[in-house]
Amino acid sequence: MTIGLSFLLGLLAGSVSYFMLGLWWPLAVLLGLFAWLAFGLLDVKMDSTFTLLGGMLLVFCVSLSGMVLRANDQLSGLQYVDTQDVDGTEFRYPVPPLGQARYGEKIYKASGCVACHTQQVTHESVALDVKAMAGEKNLAAVQEAASRFYKLTGRKASGGAALGLPAGEWETIVTGANAADASKARNFLAAAGASVDVQVRFRGEDLMHNDLQNPEGRNWGRRRSVAQDYLFAEPPMLGSVRIGPDLANIGARYNRDMLMSVLLDPKTLKKDSKMPQHGFLFEQAEKDEQRQPTREAEALVDYLLSLKSANYPLPEAPVDQPFTSSMPKPATAPAEAADTAKPDEAGK
Ligand code: HEC
């Protein structure tokens, strides 16, 4: 084979291993060099059965390790992380199922709940808003940084920013930006000496409803689901098509009594409910008596109450972060109020 052709093959091998398999770059260069040498100098022929079989084996091994083993490694290497409760209490996430929840998971599978319910909160997009405040001294530099940002991204200034940023006031620089634009804005403004405040909003119909920012939200979760949420699920029952609401976060949305009445008779919650009754999970009763749940129903509800996965922020899947500068300021620390810049929160 000519040196030119074998060089091309080496280049191909190198770039496949770097860009597609994500190998460490010196390793990819080495692999490319090896392929070049093998075809060019050692005169390996492409038309022998041995080379063809060897090539096929190589392709098989490389794709197996790249697509199956690496993905498996990544998922099985997942660990606990620290997160926060809604009221700020720190704890380790995820929490293993307690009490009868494991047994309840079996009832959930056996009753076919997964046929109509998913356990996966999704989101559609992330939007970032950036506010900035300039002081008297750096006003000119900050104005210049803002107009540089508008010119670079082709966005239009609005509100106070359009009038040239008054000193000492928070002004919105950009709303609904993507991560790249927001981090540009943050970097430009921070470099010019402005205080910068970034707000992160997630949009999607599974997420929390907000008239302005997420009007189609259905309140099914505070954030999207990620692989870490299913560390204790055997197997994860994500579901692909849903008829009823998503249950990934049902434990945070419903209490025990509501869940019992959904199971016994969904029509008590919604008149034209499409969900079937699950009377077989309850004892028979005389006419006017209340039907008591069986052990299975108790366990199933324990399981449902343990489903709170889309409730706590993870490093990988944060929840909405509002502007810190517009939060009520603690009365005792007025000196800190001016310094609300969060330079490393955006762009995630
Ligand atoms: C035939 C499909 C179907 C099956 C099977 C089913 N559900 Fe439902 N479920 C629904 C529908 C539809 C709703 C929404 C109620 C309505 O019509 O408004 C619902 C609502 C719910 C709700 C209330 C959720 C909310 O956000 O309001 C819970 C909890 C629930 N189901 C749990 C279960 C459990 C547990 C099982 C298994 C024992 C189950 N469902 C089986 C269709 C189903």
Side-chain angles (χ1 to χ4, degrees):
M1 193 180 295
T2 64
I3 281 293
L5 190 57
S6 60
F7 176 77
L8 282 185
L9 282 175
L11 196 69
L12 185 74
S15 31
V16 163
S17 31
Y18 181 69
F19 291 109
M20 291 175 68
L21 299 180
L23 291 186
W24 188 42
W25 69 266
L27 213 66
V29 170
L30 219 70
L31 230 108
L33 279 178
F34 175 76
W36 183 15
L37 279 183
F39 288 120
L41 298 185
L42 309 181
D43 212 19
V44 175
K45 288 256 169 29
M46 286 288 271
D47 54 0
S48 78
T49 318
F50 177 77
T51 324
L52 279 180
L53 284 182
M56 277 151 76
L57 188 71
L58 191 78
V59 167
F60 175 75
C61 292
V62 164
S63 44
L64 181 77
S65 67
M67 276 144 67
V68 181
L69 301 183
R70 248 170 73 97
N72 186 47
D73 260 9
Q74 249 179 4
L75 290 182
S76 55
L78 284 177
Q79 290 284 339
Y80 287 102
V81 282
D82 290 324
T83 181
Q84 284 178 351
D85 209 338
V86 185
D87 56 16
T89 325
E90 298 241 336
F91 68 102
R92 291 175 81 200
Y93 182 86
V95 185
L98 299 171
Q100 298 203 68
R102 263 285 177 242
Y103 180 52
E105 189 179 23
K106 288 207 181 103
I107 309 291
Y108 186 89
K109 283 182 217 167
S111 314
C113 312
V114 74
C116 298
H117 292 284
T118 53
Q119 288 185 25
Q120 184 182 22
V121 173
T122 57
H123 83 206
E124 273 134 44
S125 65
V126 189
L128 294 106
D129 310 327
V130 181
K131 281 208 270 187
M133 180 167 67
E136 293 286 350
K137 275 189 221 143
N138 51 27
L139 185 60
V142 173
Q143 281 168 345
E144 145 78 27
S147 60
R148 208 149 44 94
F149 166 74
Y150 291 129
K151 213 179 270 165
L152 195 76
T153 56
R155 288 175 178 273
K156 286 228 160 52
S158 62
L163 303 174
L165 279 178
E169 266 174 55
W170 284 107
E171 287 298 343
T172 307
I173 300 295
V174 57
T175 53
N178 58 21
D181 280 2
S183 79
K184 256 179 229 143
R186 186 200 59 193
N187 293 343
F188 282 10
L189 293 161
S195 306
V196 184
D197 194 1
V198 179
Q199 164 169 278
V200 188
R201 296 181 278 125
F202 293 93
R203 273 187 303 215
E205 47 188 29
D206 292 359
L207 296 177
M208 304 313 280
H209 177 88
N210 181 317
D211 278 338
L212 291 177
Q213 291 163 358
N214 194 25
E216 72 270 38
R218 296 162 172 163
N219 290 331
W220 288 344
R222 293 177 64 214
R223 61 162 173 81
R224 75 193 159 104
S225 300
V226 290
Q228 196 145 33
D229 296 326
Y230 306 100
L231 277 189
F232 292 109
E234 290 171 7
M237 287 172 281
L238 309 176
S240 54
V241 180
R242 59 185 164 211
I243 296 174
D246 189 275
L247 299 183
N249 209 25
I250 190 72
R253 299 195 282 125
Y254 274 41
N255 62 27
R256 180 169 288 273
D257 291 343
M258 289 158 84
L259 288 171
M260 283 296 176
S261 58
V262 171
L263 290 176
L264 182 59
D265 186 4
K267 298 215 168 28
T268 53
L269 282 187
K270 195 179 161 195
K271 264 227 308 303
D272 58 345
S273 177
K274 306 279 181 304
M275 167 144 164
Q277 298 183 1
H278 288 74
F280 60 87
L281 292 172
F282 294 81
E283 311 278 4
Q284 293 295 350
E286 295 299 318
K287 229 184 176 180
D288 292 329
E289 261 176 57
Q290 185 139 34
R291 295 181 66 180
Q292 294 302 315
T294 57
R295 189 167 101 76
E296 280 71 31
E298 296 282 1
L300 176 57
V301 168
D302 279 351
Y303 170 66
L304 293 173
L305 287 173
S306 77
L307 297 176
K308 291 185 186 172
S309 64
N311 209 33
Y312 310 114
L314 300 182
E316 188 188 350
V319 297
D320 283 356
Q321 288 170 14
F323 281 126
T324 41
S325 57
S326 47
M327 282 192 206
K329 292 174 182 120
T332 46
E336 285 172 20
D339 187 28
T340 40
K342 292 194 303 176
D344 41 35
E345 295 274 56
K348 277 186 186 164

